[in-house]
């Protein structure tokens, strides 16, 4: 401990620090100074951690001051007490700055784990405990004096605590060491004026950082509060006492670290605060620590005693084992060896029986007796497994783990495979034989009738024959028993899976064979359209050549042969798939009833898979106790192997794939079939597709797509062909009225009946199971004279029609369109549009042939007469009356009929407008004839004395009478009246005006005029609708006034002759100008 006498001086005693401002003083929790100059702790003790007052030192204070950690951080100049030497400064000298200091390379300080100090702590623990007890005894005697001294220090000048290091260390030590005793006294009610510890929050946070290193320049700068490391040089002498207050200290405005007493005091205060808190924490935890240490020593002693006792006990047990246990173990070992020798003998005998049993099973397999062979094989397996149930007279062992039997196990597996192949052959022969027998026993008509029953029920038709149970459902009892025996054998031989796989392959091969069975030959010798019983093989020809020949032969088949080929193929495939589905159900029924075999058949083998290579594998895969395979397991295995839905679907897809190829090859021939043949073709394909879907649940999109494409192209070509046929028939029509034939009458009756329901005759071709009846006329009656069975009247809604051959041609065409719609309702929209085009074509052709006089060129007519116009009007009126029935028929077959209904109404108005145009044409013709006759009338010399009727009156009456007669013969009365009324009105106006303008100069001329008028009256009054035109003309003629005019005899005769000639020429010219109207006396 350095001497604390006042003659020892340090740098701190050279000059007093500058006064601290109020703001700086308020930053630190130190007591304020009582005077400007006071004794510094460094003057008294010489060290920061020195003794504050040597006269007051006790054991605790001496320990804290001498062993304080803070003394290690004091500057060397302060700890040693060597005074600093001030060097004189010159004008050229510049003090160093922070930039002049070389950078410090930071080094990593090695971290020491706490566990390193454990050996040291364990050594000093007892010493420290005795030290604490001695310290407590020493402090007990000086407690009172220390407490008084602490009270005196706290109540210093101005009531503030002293700033000395001595008082700080002296008061803090006892308060921390005696903290438990002080708390006890306070809890007992004694109130002491003790000083509280300074909180750790007064220490800046930089000291508590984990990476705190004074070697770090930034950390050092914060700790030193940016003080100068080197004192600035000044011009004053070192001994005049003015160095600290000279202007040189204020050059940088920063304190000098060496003379910054306040900073050093702060560091000392911080370290004392931390030290006090550490001492307090150690004091509070020391009692429990050393108590635990004492308990640990006692526990170690007890453990050592227990270990010693265990060693003694083990020694005694070893002596007991050597004297008594070894003899008993030898006896037990000898007994076990005897039992093992007995079991070895039994195992050798059992091996002999196994070898003999395998030999017997092999002989049975060679002879083909697979039933007894599988039974012998099962007995052999039970013998290997040591099954005592089936071998009650012997004590058997489980030899499945013996290596000597590896060869026997392989022989058993091979025998089992041979037995399985035998049962597989019997299984396939039974199933395929039943399928072939069923195909031979069912006729095509029966199959097609069964297919068509749902279609008949949907149309409301009733079958003529009573319904019977389908043939494919009937199962023979012998077949069922044979199938059950085969399945049982396959199950016992573990061959269900291979057998069912083979059956699947055989089914697919059979389907392909059925498709090829009715195809024409693929050889060059079979170019004729005949059905080949089977496809002949020719090794000299390549597959590509055979395919080309087969394609050519398919395309050369006529419609009847092609239909026969498809019907036989479809019926065979349908019955094959139906019988196959029935066999599946029988298989599932049989497997669900398979149970344990009878006792005479032996025990079921535990082996379940032929791939297991040893008897141990048997037990891992099957039942180890020799129980029979459960019926559910057999049924699941059959279901998994057969996969009924998958096999039926695969067979159906295979069949439809080959059929689709055949239909694609014959696409051109199919879409050009006649309507009855095409209906049969479509019906057959649709029934087959429906049957396949009912069996397998698959829609057959490819087959249906091909058939739909054929229907599309057929409908498109059907409309074009019907329009061509109609044009050809109308071009050769002579436009003569004829009676309706019986088949045409039936056609009209079907169209009228279709207003409410489809005609039953339209579905005759759809009943493909019935023998085909070839119609004598399939509605192909010619345009000419009707057959003998023809009837006379055509009546629609009580309206009679007299029609030419063209009208009947249109009637037959409409019937064909509705016939096709009733059979193929999916194409109603397309057929409706095609029918509308067909009707528009008919209307346009009538206009070209009649109004355009095209019939004179196409049919060889001399001219177009009134009869032709009347028959054309009747044809249009007939089609107009038929349109509501056709319209309603299509409305019934379409869900959305709006647009098509508008088109039907437009076509109907087109017919009506055309009919009105024909009527206007007739009126225009007669109006023109009347105008010609009026012109002739004006050229007549009425004063000439003639007793005959003039030519114009004779011709006008004859033409009008002929027109009325022709119209009345071919048109209804209302239509005739509708045409004749405007004609008679024109006659009244034109003749009345002409008679009024005639100049008559004699009585003879008026008599001639009256004679003509009376002749016209006699002709026109007989015609219905003429009204009073005759009386009106006669009255005008009688009321005609006579005007006198001078005459010359020569001129009069010549002029009269010329006028007569002119009138006759005009009449002829008028007749030639209107060749349409000719006298018709028939």
């Amino acid at each position: 401990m350095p001497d604390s006498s006042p003659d020892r001086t340090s740098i701190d005693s050279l000059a007093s620090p500058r006064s601290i401002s109020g703001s700086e003083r308020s930053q630190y929790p130190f007591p304020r100074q009582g005077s400007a100059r006071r004794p510094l702790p460094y003057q008294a003790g010489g060290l920061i951690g020195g003794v504050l007052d040597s006269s007051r030192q006790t054991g605790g204070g001496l320990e804290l001051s001498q062993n304080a950690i803070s003394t290690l951080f004091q500057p060397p100049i302060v700890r040693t007490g060597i005074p600093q030497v001030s060097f004189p400064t010159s004008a050229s000298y510049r003090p160093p700055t922070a930039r002049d200091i070389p950078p410090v390379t930071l080094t990593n300080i090695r971290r020491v784990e706490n566990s390193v100090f454990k050996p040291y702590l364990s050594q000093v623990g007892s010493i420290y405990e005795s030290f604490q007890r001695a310290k407590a005894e020493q402090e007990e005697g000086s407690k009172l004096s220390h407490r008084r001294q602490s009270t005196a220090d706290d109540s210093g000048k101005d009531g503030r605590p002293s700033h000395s290091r001595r008082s700080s260390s002296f008061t803090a030590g006892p308060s921390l060491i005696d903290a438990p005793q002080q708390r006890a006294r306070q809890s007992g009610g004694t109130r002491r004026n003790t000083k509280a510890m300074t909180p750790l929050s007064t220490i800046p946070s930089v000291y508590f950082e984990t990476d705190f290193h004074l070697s770090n320049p930034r950390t050092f700068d914060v700790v030193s509060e940016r003080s100068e490391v080197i004192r600035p040089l000044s011009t004053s002498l070192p001994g005049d006492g003015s160095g600290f207050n000279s202007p040189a200290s204020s050059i940088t405005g920063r304190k000098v670290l060496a003379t910054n007493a306040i900073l050093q005091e702060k560091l000392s205060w911080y370290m004392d605060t931390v030290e006090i808190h550490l001492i307090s924490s150690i004091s509070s935890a020391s009692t429990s620590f050393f108590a635990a240490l004492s308990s640990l020593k006692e526990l170690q002693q007890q453990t050592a005693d227990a270990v010693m006792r265990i060693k003694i006990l083990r020694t005694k047990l070893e002596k007991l084992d050597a004297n008594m246990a070894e003899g008993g173990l030898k006896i037990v070992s000898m007994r076990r060896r005897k039992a093992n020798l007995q079991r070895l003998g039994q195992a050798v005998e059992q091996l002999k029986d196994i070898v003999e049993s395998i030999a017997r099973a092999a002989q049975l397999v060679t002879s083909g007796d697979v039933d007894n062979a599988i039974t012998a094989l099962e007995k052999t397996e039970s013998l290997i497994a040591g099954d005592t149930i089936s071998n009650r007279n012997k004590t058997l062992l489980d030899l499945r783990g013996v290596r000597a039997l590896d060869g026997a196990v392989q022989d058993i597996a091979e025998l089992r495979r041979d037995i399985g192949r035998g049962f597989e052959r019997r299984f396939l022969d039974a199933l395929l034989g039943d399928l072939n027998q069923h195909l031979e026993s069912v006729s095509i008509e029966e199959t097609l009738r069964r297919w068509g029953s749902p279609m008949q029920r949907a149309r409301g038709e009733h079958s003529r024959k009573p319904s019977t149970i389908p043939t494919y459902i009937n199962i023979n009892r012998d077949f069922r028993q044979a199938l059950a025996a085969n399945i049982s054998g396959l199950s016992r031989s573990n061959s269900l899976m291979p057998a069912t796989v083979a059956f699947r392959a055989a089914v697919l091969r059979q389907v392909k064979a059925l498709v090829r069975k009715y195809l024409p030959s693929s050889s060059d010798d079979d170019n004729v359209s005949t059905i080949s019983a089977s496809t002949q093989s020719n090794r000299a020809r390549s597959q590509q050549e055979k395919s080309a020949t087969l394609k050519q032969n398919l395309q050369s088949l006529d419609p009847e042969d092609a239909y026969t080929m498809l019907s036989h193929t479809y019926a065979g495939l349908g019955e094959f798939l139906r019988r196959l589905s029935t066999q599946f159900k029988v298989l599932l029924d049989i497997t669900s009833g398979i149970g344990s075999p009878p006792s005479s058949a032996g025990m079921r083998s535990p082996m379940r898979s032929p791939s297991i290579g040893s008897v141990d594998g048997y037990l891992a895969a099957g039942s180890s106790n020799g129980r029979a395979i459960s019926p559910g397991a057999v049924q699941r295995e059959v279901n998994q192997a057969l996969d009924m839905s998958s096999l039926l679907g695969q067979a159906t897809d295979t069949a439809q794939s080959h059929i689709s190829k055949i239909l694609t090859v014959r696409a051109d021939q199919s879409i050009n079939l006649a309507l009855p043949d095409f209906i049969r073709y479509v019906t057959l394909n649709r029934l087959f597709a429906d049957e396949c879907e009912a069996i397998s649940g698959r829609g057959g999109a490819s087959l249906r797509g091909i058939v739909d494409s054929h229907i599309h192209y057929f409908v498109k070509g059907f409309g074009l062909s019907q329009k061509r046929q109609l044009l050809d028939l109308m071009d050769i029509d002579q436009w003569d009225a004829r009676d309706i034939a019986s088949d045409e009458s039936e056609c009209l009756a079907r169209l009228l009946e279709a207003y409410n329901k489809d005609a039953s005759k339209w579905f005759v071709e759809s009943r493909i199971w019935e023998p085909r009846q070839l119609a004598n006329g399939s509605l192909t009656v010619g345009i000419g004279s009707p057959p003998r069975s023809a009837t006379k009247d055509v009546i629609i809604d009580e309206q009679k029609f007299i029609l030419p051959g063209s009208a009947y041609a249109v009637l037959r065409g409409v019937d064909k369109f509705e016939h096709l719609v009733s059979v193929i309702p999916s194409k109603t929209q397309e057929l409706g549009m095609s029918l509308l085009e067909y009707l528009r074509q008919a209307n346009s052709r009538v206009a070209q042939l009649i109004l355009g006089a095209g019939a004179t060129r196409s049919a060889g007519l001399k001219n177009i007469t009134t009869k032709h116009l009347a028959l054309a009007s009747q044809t249009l009126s007939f089609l107009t009356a038929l349109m509501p029935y056709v319209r309603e028929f299509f409305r019934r077959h379409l869900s959305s009929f709006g647009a098509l209904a508008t088109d039907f109404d437009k076509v109907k108005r087109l017919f009506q407008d055309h009919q009105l145009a024909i009527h206007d044409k007739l009126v225009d013709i007669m109006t023109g004839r009347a105008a010609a006759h009026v012109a002739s009338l004006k050229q007549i010399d009425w004063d000439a004395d003639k007793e005959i009727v003039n030519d114009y009156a004779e011709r006008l009456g004859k033409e009008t009478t002929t027109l009325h007669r022709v119209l009345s013969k071919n048109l209804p009365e209302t239509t005739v009246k509708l045409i004749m009324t405007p004609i008679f009105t024109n006659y009244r106006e034109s003749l009345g005006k002409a008679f009024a303008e005639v100049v008559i100069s004699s009585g003879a001329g008026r008599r001639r005029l009256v004679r003509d008028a009376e002749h016209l009256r006699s002709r026109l009054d007989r015609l219905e609708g003429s009204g009073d035109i005759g009386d009106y003309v006669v009255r005008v003629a009688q009321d005609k006034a006579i005007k006198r005019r001078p005459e010359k005899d020569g001129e009069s005769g010549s002029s009269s002759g010329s006028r007569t000639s002119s009138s006759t020429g005009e009449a002829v010219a008028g007749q030639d100008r209107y060749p349409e109207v000719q006298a018709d006396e028939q």
Side-chain angles (χ1 to χ4, degrees):
M1 186 71 176
D3 191 7
S4 60
S5 60
D7 55 344
R8 293 288 300 274
T9 59
S10 65
I11 287 179
D12 296 330
S13 63
L14 295 179
S16 61
R18 61 183 178 89
S19 61
I20 301 174
S21 62
S23 60
E24 291 178 351
R25 187 182 296 114
S26 62
Q27 294 176 0
Y28 309 102
F30 295 99
R32 292 181 296 178
Q33 299 178 0
S35 60
R37 291 183 64 87
R38 63 174 180 84
L40 297 176
Y42 306 108
Q43 297 175 354
L47 294 174
I48 293 177
V51 181
L52 297 178
D53 190 356
S54 59
S55 62
R56 300 180 184 178
Q57 287 181 358
T58 61
L62 180 61
E63 176 198 356
L64 292 176
S65 60
Q66 292 178 349
N67 301 312
I69 301 174
S70 60
T71 58
L72 299 175
F73 296 97
Q74 295 299 324
I77 194 69
V78 178
R79 293 201 303 269
T80 58
I82 302 174
Q84 295 182 353
V85 180
S86 299
F87 297 93
T89 58
S90 63
S92 62
Y93 175 76
R94 182 175 62 84
T97 62
R99 296 182 179 178
D100 298 331
I101 301 174
V104 179
T105 302
L106 302 179
T107 59
N108 295 327
I109 300 176
R110 184 171 61 89
R111 299 289 182 180
V112 181
E113 299 293 337
N114 295 333
S115 60
V116 178
F117 299 99
K118 289 183 178 180
Y120 170 75
L121 294 176
S122 61
Q123 293 176 5
V124 303
S126 57
I127 301 174
Y128 182 75
E129 183 179 1
S130 61
F131 166 73
Q132 287 291 340
R133 287 196 296 268
K135 184 176 66 173
E137 293 175 358
Q138 183 181 2
E139 289 178 353
E140 187 67 26
S142 59
K143 281 182 181 180
L144 183 59
S145 61
H146 288 171
R147 191 176 300 110
R148 291 176 181 177
Q149 184 64 33
S150 176
T151 304
D153 292 340
D154 291 340
S155 60
K157 188 179 290 186
D158 296 333
R160 293 185 297 270
S162 175
H163 234 289
S164 64
R165 168 70 177 168
R166 184 185 300 273
S167 63
S168 174
S169 300
F170 178 75
T171 57
S175 64
L176 289 176
I177 295 173
D178 300 336
Q181 291 83 354
Q182 291 177 6
R183 285 193 296 270
R185 295 188 189 99
Q186 290 175 2
S187 62
T190 305
R191 190 175 185 85
R192 302 292 182 181
N193 185 14
T194 60
K195 184 178 178 180
M197 287 187 297
T198 303
L200 292 176
S201 60
T202 59
I203 303 174
S205 60
V206 68
Y207 294 98
F208 297 101
E209 294 179 357
T210 56
D211 56 349
F212 178 82
H213 297 287
L214 283 176
S215 58
N216 190 346
R218 296 181 182 85
T219 305
F220 184 81
D221 197 20
V222 174
V223 171
S224 64
E225 296 181 356
R226 301 182 60 83
S227 299
E228 292 285 351
V229 179
I230 301 175
R231 178 188 304 182
L233 298 179
S234 63
T235 56
S236 60
L237 295 175
D240 59 0
S242 62
F244 294 102
N245 297 324
S246 63
S249 62
S250 302
I251 294 175
T252 59
R254 299 169 63 180
K255 300 176 184 180
V256 180
L257 181 61
T259 59
N260 193 350
I262 297 176
L263 177 61
Q264 296 180 10
E265 187 69 16
K266 288 180 183 179
L267 294 176
S268 177
W269 178 267
Y270 296 158
M271 288 185 287
D272 288 347
T273 302
V274 173
E275 193 173 341
I276 290 171
H277 278 274
L278 288 174
I279 293 173
S280 176
S281 298
I282 293 173
S283 299
S284 60
S286 60
T287 303
S288 58
F289 173 76
F290 289 106
L293 187 62
S294 301
S295 299
L296 182 61
K297 291 181 179 180
E298 295 177 0
L299 182 60
Q300 290 177 349
Q301 185 62 36
Q302 293 176 2
T303 304
D305 296 341
V307 170
M308 184 58 66
R309 293 178 181 178
I310 291 173
K311 288 181 178 180
I312 296 172
L313 182 61
R314 284 181 177 178
T315 303
K316 294 179 179 181
L317 289 176
E318 289 176 357
K319 293 180 180 180
L320 184 62
D321 291 339
N323 296 329
M324 298 183 65
E326 291 181 358
L329 289 176
K330 289 181 180 180
I331 295 174
V332 173
S333 176
M334 293 177 68
R335 290 179 178 177
R336 183 178 298 173
R337 184 177 181 183
K338 179 182 178 181
N340 290 338
L341 290 175
Q342 292 177 353
R343 295 182 64 186
L344 180 60
Q346 295 174 358
V348 172
E349 186 69 21
Q350 187 175 348
L351 285 174
K352 179 182 176 182
D353 296 340
I354 290 172
V355 173
E356 293 176 355
S357 178
I358 292 175
R360 287 194 300 270
Q363 292 177 359
L364 292 174
V365 172
T366 304
S367 62
D369 190 0
V370 291
D371 294 324
N372 293 328
I374 189 62
T375 302
L377 202 62
E378 289 175 348
K379 290 182 178 180
T380 302
E381 290 176 346
S382 64
L383 188 62
I384 293 175
D387 186 4
T388 57
I389 298 177
S390 58
N391 301 275
R392 297 179 180 179
N393 298 328
K394 297 181 181 180
T395 301
L396 301 179
L397 300 177
D398 188 356
L399 301 181
R400 287 174 293 185
V402 178
R403 291 188 177 182
L405 289 178
D406 289 345
V409 171
Q410 295 177 0
D411 294 340
I412 291 174
E414 184 65 29
L415 290 174
R416 186 178 296 277
R417 284 192 292 270
D418 294 340
I419 294 171
R421 283 192 288 268
F423 280 113
E424 179 182 331
R425 287 191 295 270
R426 291 167 54 179
F427 179 72
L428 294 179
D429 293 342
L431 291 176
L432 296 179
D434 179 72
L435 288 173
N436 294 328
Q437 183 181 0
H438 174 71
L439 292 179
E440 294 175 357
S441 63
V442 180
S443 63
I444 298 176
E445 291 77 12
E446 181 181 353
T447 302
L448 297 179
R449 182 177 290 106
R450 178 174 58 81
W451 290 0
S453 297
M455 183 177 63
Q456 285 185 293
R457 290 193 296 269
R459 293 173 179 173
E461 300 178 0
H462 299 283
S463 178
R464 298 178 181 178
K465 294 184 178 181
S467 60
T468 58
I469 299 176
T471 308
Y472 64 84
I473 298 179
N474 298 327
I475 296 297
N476 189 3
R477 179 176 297 178
D478 296 337
F479 168 72
R480 184 184 180 91
Q481 292 177 354
L483 195 61
N486 292 330
I487 292 176
S488 177
L490 290 172
S491 175
R492 294 166 63 186
S493 61
N494 295 329
S495 299
L496 270 177
M497 183 67 72
T500 50
V501 171
F503 177 64
R504 290 174 64 92
V507 166
L508 297 180
R509 288 195 302 270
Q510 189 72 9
V511 169
K512 296 177 182 179
L514 286 175
V515 175
R516 292 193 298 266
K517 181 178 181 180
Y518 299 100
L519 290 178
S521 175
S522 60
S523 63
D524 289 335
D525 299 333
D526 194 10
N527 292 326
V528 185
S529 300
T530 57
I531 302 299
S532 177
S534 62
T535 303
Q536 302 294 330
S537 61
N538 191 353
R539 297 180 180 178
R541 297 171 56 83
S542 64
Q543 186 65 31
Q544 185 175 2
E545 293 175 349
K546 292 181 180 180
S547 299
T549 303
L550 179 60
K551 179 180 179 180
Q552 182 179 359
N553 292 338
L554 282 173
Q555 293 176 348
S556 63
L557 292 176
D558 59 14
E560 190 63 28
D561 290 340
Y563 175 80
T564 303
M565 176 192 68
L566 291 178
S567 61
H568 282 75
T569 303
Y570 289 172
L573 290 173
E575 290 297 333
F576 181 84
L577 294 176
R578 281 290 185 181
R579 187 65 173 183
L580 184 63
S581 63
T582 303
Q583 288 182 352
F584 284 152
K585 296 175 183 178
V586 173
L587 288 174
L588 296 179
D589 185 29
I590 292 175
T591 54
S592 63
I594 291 180
S596 302
S599 57
S600 60
M603 201 63 187
R604 181 67 56 90
S605 171
M607 182 183 294
R608 295 291 299 139
S609 174
S611 62
I612 299 176
S614 64
V615 181
D616 292 332
Y618 277 22
L619 271 244
S623 56
S624 60
N625 55 1
R627 290 181 299 174
I629 303 171
S630 64
V634 177
Q635 188 174 13
R636 285 193 299 270
E637 187 173 358
V638 173
N639 289 339
Q640 182 181 2
L642 287 179
D643 193 4
M644 179 174 65
S645 60
S646 175
L647 178 56
L648 288 175
Q650 190 174 359
T652 302
D653 292 343
T654 302
Q656 291 186 356
S657 175
H658 288 74
I659 293 297
S660 299
K661 294 178 182 179
I662 297 174
L663 298 183
T664 303
V665 170
R666 286 191 51 83
D668 294 337
Q669 290 75 23
S670 298
I671 62 178
N672 292 319
L673 290 172
L675 180 60
D677 294 332
F678 186 77
I679 292 175
R680 291 168 61 83
Y681 168 77
V682 171
T683 304
L684 179 63
N685 282 280
R686 285 191 168 178
L687 290 178
F688 176 69
D690 294 341
E691 179 72 4
C692 292
E693 184 177 2
I695 295 173
S696 64
R698 302 187 182 183
S702 61
L703 178 61
R704 292 183 185 272
I706 293 175
V707 175
D708 290 341
S709 66
H710 291 178
I711 293 174
H712 172 74
Y713 289 112
F714 177 82
V715 168
K716 185 177 180 180
F718 177 77
L720 297 175
S721 63
Q722 290 301 310
K723 286 191 287 186
R724 285 196 300 268
Q725 292 179 13
L726 178 64
L727 294 179
D728 295 341
L729 292 176
M730 294 181 71
D731 287 343
I732 64 175
D733 189 11
Q734 297 294 322
W735 290 92
D736 292 330
R738 69 173 179 84
D739 295 338
I740 185 172
S742 59
D743 53 357
E744 294 169 346
S745 179
E746 294 176 359
C747 176
L748 178 61
R750 288 194 297 270
L751 294 180
L752 299 181
E753 182 186 3
Y755 183 86
N756 295 320
K757 63 178 182 178
D758 296 341
S760 59
K761 191 173 182 180
W762 285 341
F763 303 111
V764 172
E765 290 82 3
S766 300
R767 293 192 284 270
I768 57 178
W769 53 89
E770 296 179 355
R772 187 175 183 183
Q773 298 177 358
L774 297 177
N776 294 329
S778 69
L779 298 181
T780 57
V781 179
I783 295 296
S785 60
R788 296 179 181 179
S789 59
T791 57
K792 184 176 182 180
D793 296 333
V794 176
I795 301 175
I796 298 178
D797 294 336
E798 300 181 356
Q799 182 180 355
K800 295 182 180 180
F801 298 94
I802 298 175
L803 302 175
S806 297
Y808 296 122
V810 176
L811 176 66
R812 291 192 296 272
V814 174
D815 177 74
K816 291 179 180 179
F817 275 101
E818 293 192 1
H819 184 186
L820 190 57
V821 169
S822 63
V823 177
I824 311 175
S826 61
K827 295 296 180 180
T828 302
Q829 185 73 27
E830 292 82 349
L831 289 171
M833 300 300 295
S834 182
L835 176 59
L836 290 173
E837 291 294 331
Y838 178 81
L839 295 175
R840 293 190 188 98
Q841 183 72 26
N843 179 72
S844 175
R845 200 62 174 175
V846 170
Q848 293 175 5
L849 294 175
I850 303 303
L851 294 181
T856 58
R857 296 182 296 274
S858 61
L861 300 179
K862 295 181 179 180
N863 49 34
I864 303 301
T865 64
T866 306
K867 179 187 69 174
H868 299 150
L869 292 172
L871 291 176
S873 176
Q874 275 290 83
T875 300
L876 295 173
S877 180
F878 170 74
L879 295 178
T880 302
L882 191 62
M883 285 302 294
Y885 294 91
V886 178
R887 182 179 183 275
E888 182 63 20
F889 171 81
F890 280 92
R891 188 198 63 78
R892 287 193 302 105
H893 288 80
L894 281 178
S895 58
S896 58
F897 186 61
L900 201 60
T902 304
D903 293 336
F904 273 103
D905 295 337
K906 289 181 180 179
V907 173
K908 182 179 179 180
R909 286 194 296 269
L910 190 64
F911 290 153
Q912 293 174 344
D913 293 342
H914 189 186
Q915 187 179 10
L916 291 178
I918 293 176
H919 296 171
D920 293 340
K921 180 66 175 178
L922 290 172
V923 173
D924 291 341
I925 290 174
M926 297 309 298
T927 300
R929 299 298 296 163
H933 292 312
V934 168
S936 300
L937 182 148
K938 293 179 179 180
Q939 300 297 328
I940 298 176
D941 183 9
W942 295 100
D943 293 331
D945 188 9
K946 290 184 178 182
E947 298 297 331
I948 61 175
V949 179
N950 290 312
D951 186 58
Y952 80 91
E954 185 68 26
R955 293 178 64 85
L956 181 61
K958 184 178 179 181
E959 291 172 355
T960 305
T961 303
T962 302
L963 174 67
H964 189 273
R965 185 178 65 252
V966 172
L967 295 180
S968 299
K969 182 180 179 180
N970 297 287
L971 296 177
E973 182 179 353
T974 55
T975 305
V976 173
K977 186 177 181 180
L978 183 65
I979 297 173
M980 297 304 297
T981 298
I983 294 175
F984 288 141
T985 302
N986 178 264
Y987 283 179
R988 181 186 179 92
E989 294 177 356
S990 60
L991 291 175
K993 183 178 179 181
F995 282 0
E997 293 178 354
V998 170
V999 179
I1000 299 176
S1001 59
S1002 63
R1006 184 168 61 182
R1007 286 193 297 272
R1008 290 182 64 183
L1009 184 62
V1010 172
R1011 189 183 305 115
D1012 291 345
E1014 290 177 350
H1015 178 76
L1016 290 174
R1017 183 176 63 179
S1018 64
R1019 286 295 188 101
L1020 298 180
D1021 284 349
R1022 291 180 298 179
L1023 304 179
E1024 186 178 358
S1026 61
D1028 59 346
I1029 183 175
D1031 296 337
Y1032 172 73
V1033 173
V1034 171
R1035 189 167 53 252
V1036 172
Q1038 291 176 352
D1039 295 341
K1040 184 67 176 175
I1042 300 174
K1043 295 182 180 181
R1044 300 288 181 179
R1045 61 178 178 177
E1047 297 180 359
K1048 294 181 180 181
D1049 296 337
E1051 295 179 1
S1052 176
S1054 62
S1055 63
S1056 176
S1058 64
R1059 282 193 296 269
T1060 304
S1061 176
S1062 176
S1063 175
T1064 304
E1066 290 292 337
V1068 174
Q1071 184 177 356
D1072 293 338
R1073 189 178 299 116
Y1074 301 99
E1076 298 88 349
V1077 180
Q1078 300 291 334
D1080 191 355
E1081 300 296 340
Q1082 296 178 359

